[in-house]
Amino acid sequence: DAKTTQPPSMDCAEGRAANLPCNHSTISGNEYVYWYRQIHSQGPQYIIHGLKNNETNEMASLIITEDRKSSTLILPHATLRDTAVYYCIARRLNYGGSQGNLIFGKGTKLSVKP
Amino acid sequence: DAGVTQSPTHLIKTRGQQVTLRCSPKSGHDTVSWYQQALGQGPQFIFQYYEEEERQRGNFPDRFSGHQFPNYSSELNVNALLLGDSALYLCASSLVGVQETQYFGPGTRLLVL
């Protein structure tokens, strides 16, 4: 699975959009970009994933560059409860076979401030 | 919709002992994966169970073993505990298929003294 690179920490003002970058320059064609977050001492929470098209759900938006070498997770209106470690993961998927498991890095610690 | 549940929430053991952790998958899921998360680190994959068999395994010694039951629930067993086994143990469930998005439980905090 491709390695991902994220900034170790970011700050965001409450109510503003939080834009979390992720670099995955060696990603291959069958690897999806997954985002999870982990609030202190809890289990990771799935946020969103995508292959090459931009994706949006009730939690966030995922913007993937056309060359797929980087992506940005957008929390449109950050709240204090969004303070967490955010993990960007490139995950290999094999159609009809066993799926790649999640390889977590150190993630980005997002601090949302009032 | 019941999410992933794990028991116990916390556990204290001494070196050399054995421990069993339990996981019930999200309703409708058939695959269970286990991860270990040391303090300050991201989770590391231990193994995955599907159809009551170990389907994939990470870089963990044989002291770590598991089991999946016909109702898809799973156990993680660790023998001969070491101080370094102190960690948050996470269970994630998924449904076999094309994307198999994994959903995590709250974890079991194990402290080995």
Side-chain angles (χ1 to χ4, degrees):
Chain A
D1 294 354
K3 180 179 168 59
T4 61
T5 304
Q6 299 177 254
S9 63
M10 292 181 63
D11 290 340
C12 177
E14 189 178 21
R16 304 295 296 268
N19 296 282
L20 292 94
C22 179
N23 182 285
H24 32 79
S25 57
T26 60
I27 197 168
S28 60
N30 66 345
E31 288 182 301
Y32 280 70
V33 178
Y34 273 76
W35 284 84
Y36 283 79
R37 72 180 182 184
Q38 189 171 26
I39 297 169
H40 183 63
S41 295
Q42 298 181 20
Q45 180 186 22
Y46 165 75
I47 302 173
I48 198 167
H49 73 280
L51 183 62
K52 51 186 175 182
N53 297 322
N54 297 338
E55 302 288 344
T56 295
N57 62 20
E58 65 279 2
M59 288 185 67
S61 294
L62 174 60
I63 309 298
I64 303 175
T65 58
E66 193 169 342
D67 63 9
R68 301 189 70 237
K69 293 185 176 182
S70 65
S71 60
T72 301
L73 179 75
I74 301 172
L75 307 178
H77 305 286
T79 71
L80 299 179
R81 287 180 293 181
D82 291 322
T83 292
V85 177
Y86 287 76
Y87 296 100
C88 169
I89 300 165
R91 184 181 183 215
R92 175 178 49 86
L93 296 183
N94 300 318
Y95 289 87
S98 64
Q99 309 302 356
N101 282 290
L102 300 170
I103 301 174
F104 289 82
K106 291 187 179 294
T108 294
K109 181 170 173 51
L110 176 68
S111 298
V112 180
K113 300 182 183 298
Chain B
D1 180 18
V4 180
T5 59
Q6 294 186 242
S7 63
T9 56
H10 294 82
L11 204 50
I12 300 175
K13 292 286 188 178
T14 56
R15 279 180 299 174
Q17 285 190 311
Q18 178 263 343
V19 68
T20 298
L21 310 181
R22 295 177 176 81
C23 171
S24 291
K26 183 177 167 69
S27 179
H29 285 183
D30 56 11
T31 302
V32 173
S33 303
W34 287 92
Y35 293 79
Q36 179 196 65
Q37 185 174 24
L39 205 59
Q41 305 295 317
Q44 289 197 15
F45 173 68
I46 303 175
F47 44 55
Q48 183 183 80
Y49 277 83
Y50 170 66
E51 291 190 336
E52 303 180 47
E53 292 194 358
E54 185 182 287
R55 191 167 81 162
Q56 293 185 54
R57 188 179 183 92
N59 188 24
F60 278 79
D62 292 345
R63 298 187 298 109
F64 290 77
S65 63
H67 188 76
Q68 185 179 35
F69 299 94
N71 66 353
Y72 308 118
S73 67
S74 177
E75 289 182 348
L76 164 65
N77 301 291
V78 186
N79 294 322
L81 284 167
L82 304 174
L83 296 180
D85 295 331
S86 296
L88 179 67
Y89 288 85
L90 296 159
C91 167
S93 75
S94 55
L95 177 63
V96 72
V98 172
Q99 297 185 15
E100 298 190 18
T101 298
Q102 295 186 11
Y103 295 86
F104 284 81
T108 293
R109 176 77 61 187
L110 172 66
L111 177 61
V112 182
L113 301 176

